[in-house]
Amino acid sequence: MAAVIFTDYSSSTAAAAAAVARLLPSSRYRFGDGVLHSRQSLLLHFAPRNPIMLRTTATSCASASPSVVTASMVAETSAKVIDGKSIAKQIRDEITVEISRMKDTVGVVPGLAVILVGDRKDSATYVRNKKKACESVGINSYEVNLPEDSTEQEVLKHISGFNDDPTVHGILVQLPLPSHMNEQNILNSVCIEKDVDGFHPLNIGRLAMRGREPLFVSCTPKGCIELLHRYGVEIKGRRAVVIGRSNIVGTPAALLLQREDATVSVVHSRTKNPEEITRQADIIIAAVGQANMVRGNWIKPGAVVIDVGINAVEDAKSAKGYRLVGDVCYEEACKIASAITPVPGGVGPMTIAMLLSNTLSSAKRIHNFK
Amino acid sequence: MAAVIFTDYSSSTAAAAAAVARLLPSSRYRFGDGVLHSRQSLLLHFAPRNPIMLRTTATSCASASPSVVTASMVAETSAKVIDGKSIAKQIRDEITVEISRMKDTVGVVPGLAVILVGDRKDSATYVRNKKKACESVGINSYEVNLPEDSTEQEVLKHISGFNDDPTVHGILVQLPLPSHMNEQNILNSVCIEKDVDGFHPLNIGRLAMRGREPLFVSCTPKGCIELLHRYGVEIKGRRAVVIGRSNIVGTPAALLLQREDATVSVVHSRTKNPEEITRQADIIIAAVGQANMVRGNWIKPGAVVIDVGINAVEDAKSAKGYRLVGDVCYEEACKIASAITPVPGGVGPMTIAMLLSNTLSSAKRIHNFK
């Protein structure tokens, strides 16, 4: 599929959200803040000039394949909307209080360093958003901007500097890096104690192992589980299906669910009967990057659905020419599920809240502040 | 359940195997060599003087619960026996040839160091068996025996020495360690390039991540997958269920299967309907350490069953007073599955073959020998 994959996303206009809203029951749907803090963890598929792709990804899932709209889906909308924007706001407020307490008690202010290489406009926007989010909760942010033709060694030198800098408690390297750099080398050079992204294999390994604790859990999957917790969804003993097995969302999400004693199945591109397996799940986390892929008939009545996908589909009615939809066909799913995250305004706002949370946790650990 | 859990197992008598054989169709069953090279990766449940446990774990699965013997199970035995002993022998022969070629070409002989602390007889036996296996293929083995009251620092000193020793390509710490030592600290001190057990979280993390390669995969799960490969079992696109989520078998086995594009579900002690989920699997890996837990009616007709469990159940007819059975009720399963590993003689012999294979791979990597 000729989808353009973005590695992060930010939109400050309400137009795209408004376009999505036209398809949704307005009484239940709440807008996000228009800013999706997804970083590289979310695949954004957007191909406004590719009608073939748009036919497959479906601008409106029900109209694309009406045969899957079952009788039960004609019933009244019943799913509770899991309001990621509101929960993220609550978490940011909690972080603000903790940072203030830490500053007052031990005189330490958490610091997040972000390294940006090159002049991609989208990357610059994401970095700016992170900086703003840090400021809003009282985290110091440090930014290094390097030209596109910098050497890998220059980037490594800056990471090394932040590794040694006691005022920095978290280090982020904005992806993608220029193609002449080895991303794996660069990410591995971030010291494990400051890997607030949780992408280091040592953190993933500890996450997978019983009796071990990762220092950090990647922000998006952590945000998914946090939403389940805050909405009181029981995980232990439940069947969970994770759709997608990326290093930054699907795999850590599956490992997190298993740590919480769910029985987890991972569905991916090679799975022959994804809908049948997904239909067994009490909890679904969809993180595959395909607009509206999970239809109403994939969902067991009463299941809880966490939609990580953020996909742009062509929409002539929108000023931007597109609107954002998830991996789950919301208009169908909201009639079957007991609770569901909207897109935007579901998982998106949680990602940056978890980044702030990881930075605070790091500072607390380094300074042994309880 | 009051099961005694051993961390390794070796038996040089044919008595236990013979006791198992009485329950099995002799024309299909081949004895193992009587030596189970399982190390700490296998849970051996043995409670010869605990009749309650024996009732629950069942010396003969069919007689313990005849109601689960279905019509199809009365039919002729149909499963192909996956002969781990024979495959392990074949792999050892291949390793012997490679070691000889390496010695002749670059003058390097792979070396495996084993550290044994204390005077547990079982541990001493396992170490002796590993030493013998090394000798049989031409690997140099180095052994350090430390008294029970050694300090953690003494163990760490020896590991550090082996980490620096260019003639050593693999390091094993025989478990269990005395209780005054921190196992995690000690295992983490083995340098990643010589962690032939694959227990280091960095290796587990790389195993979990797409696009990353672990330096070593734990011996028992690697042996399970190797058996599937050598018997031509297709993994890609198949449904797989792993029963058990231990760090050393279940979790890496699930990650390995997923790397090979199976759709994997992990069943564990908190799973509410394990038999229903297991029945969906084309491939079952049972690694839970409960005698005969997986019954015939848990298995989809034609599934492939890999039984990692080695459990001792009381058997008055045996000279030793017990016999060995797997986690799967073999006498039922062999009538439903298309292929199955016996216990003993299935996964057991593969574990030490994989240890030798990992040691050879390590030496090749360190000396850049193709």
Side-chain angles (χ1 to χ4, degrees), chain A residues 210 247 261 263 265 271 280, chain B residues 210 245 247 263 265 271 280:
Chain A
R210 304 193 80 190
N247 289 341
D261 287 335
T263 299
S265 305
T271 299
Q280 297 174 0
Chain B
R210 303 194 81 191
R245 53 175 167 170
N247 289 341
T263 299
S265 304
T271 299
Q280 297 173 2

Side-chain angles (χ1 to χ4, degrees), chain B residues 4 31 87 101 129 143 217 250 263 275 319 335-336:
Chain B
V4 175
F31 284 106
I87 296 288
R101 187 173 72 87
N129 287 338
E143 196 182 327
V217 175
T263 299
E275 63 283 10
K335 293 169 187 156
I336 310 285

